[in-house]
Amino acid sequence: MTVDHTHRALRPVEASPGVLVHPTADRRLATGQWLSAAHITSAAEARREWRKTGMTLLRLGGIFSAVRIPLRVALAPVGFDRPSREADEFLSFALEDGPVICDPAGRRYYALVPASMPTTWHVAAAEWREDEVDCLGRGVYLGVPRLERTTLQPGSLDSYWSVPMQSAGALCTPLAVARLIAAGKHALAEEGGLL
């Protein structure tokens, strides 16, 4: 599968008459501010942690939640078995450029979704648990890499943005996430593999 997506950087925004366009740096700053509002103690502490360690711990269920998807489920539709640029391109396409964090060490992805998804999709979320897919919300904290960490570093197991967040509040749609999970489960079932 070839997907022509160059999502390593934020996508440029086309100007139209009467539309204000913000430069990439402004969008990245706004996105960082938005995300840091979910920090356990303060937005300033989130920014310090990103500068110092490249990661910060953010509280889920307030401004966004996450769906944790095992790598084998997320990448089964295209037959990949590890994170890669091609896997990132597939996820960008499948999740319509919604933000995704890759945790290579844990062999899983985190699709960032609206805060309400764990509640509104609770029936589907209960069914997904048998496949080790979890809808994470209130009471859960997620390690989030700094926004500039957008590629898998050779020899590293550090988390990175498999699909970078395009702007503040721009999240994966629950339906796109559900379709990806269904496609992954279907592909694994066709292979005869056990989830």
Side-chain angles (χ1 to χ4, degrees):
M1 169 181 205
T2 302
V3 181
D4 186 21
H5 285 253
T6 55
H7 69 279
R8 296 299 94 206
L10 297 179
R11 300 205 193 305
V13 177
E14 295 295 323
S16 299
V19 174
L20 180 62
V21 176
H22 296 278
T24 300
D26 287 351
R27 287 192 295 149
R28 182 164 283 149
L29 179 62
T31 301
Q33 293 287 5
W34 186 81
L35 282 169
S36 66
H39 191 268
I40 299 167
T41 56
S42 72
E45 185 61 25
R47 291 188 296 277
R48 271 192 294 279
E49 290 170 0
W50 273 325
R51 280 192 306 274
K52 185 176 179 181
T53 68
M55 292 285 289
T56 192
L57 200 58
L58 300 182
R59 182 182 318 115
L60 299 179
I63 59 174
F64 68 95
S65 288
V67 178
R68 181 176 54 213
I69 309 168
L71 184 142
R72 71 182 185 287
V73 173
L75 302 182
V78 288
F80 298 143
D81 63 355
R82 66 179 150 250
S84 65
R85 181 178 301 269
E86 293 79 14
D88 296 344
E89 289 172 356
F90 164 71
L91 291 172
S92 178
F93 174 76
L95 296 175
E96 303 164 349
D97 293 328
V100 179
I101 296 169
C102 178
D103 171 11
R107 297 189 52 80
R108 55 188 155 224
Y109 290 95
Y110 293 87
L112 302 190
V113 295
S116 62
M117 187 170 174
T119 303
T120 57
W121 285 71
H122 68 278
V123 173
E127 291 174 12
W128 294 338
R129 280 190 203 104
E130 69 186 43
D131 305 312
E132 298 177 27
V133 174
D134 284 308
C135 226
L136 308 172
R138 292 201 183 279
V140 178
Y141 300 88
L142 178 64
V144 176
R146 67 174 161 237
L147 294 172
E148 297 79 17
R149 194 178 282 175
T150 59
T151 56
L152 176 64
Q153 297 302 311
S156 170
L157 293 177
D158 290 345
S159 293
Y160 72 99
W161 289 92
S162 177
V163 183
M165 193 167 209
Q166 296 298 311
S167 60
L171 299 167
C172 294
T173 65
L175 186 56
V177 173
R179 286 179 178 154
L180 174 67
I181 294 165
K185 289 175 60 173
H186 179 76
L188 289 171
E190 279 194 343
E191 291 173 10
L194 297 176
L195 297 175

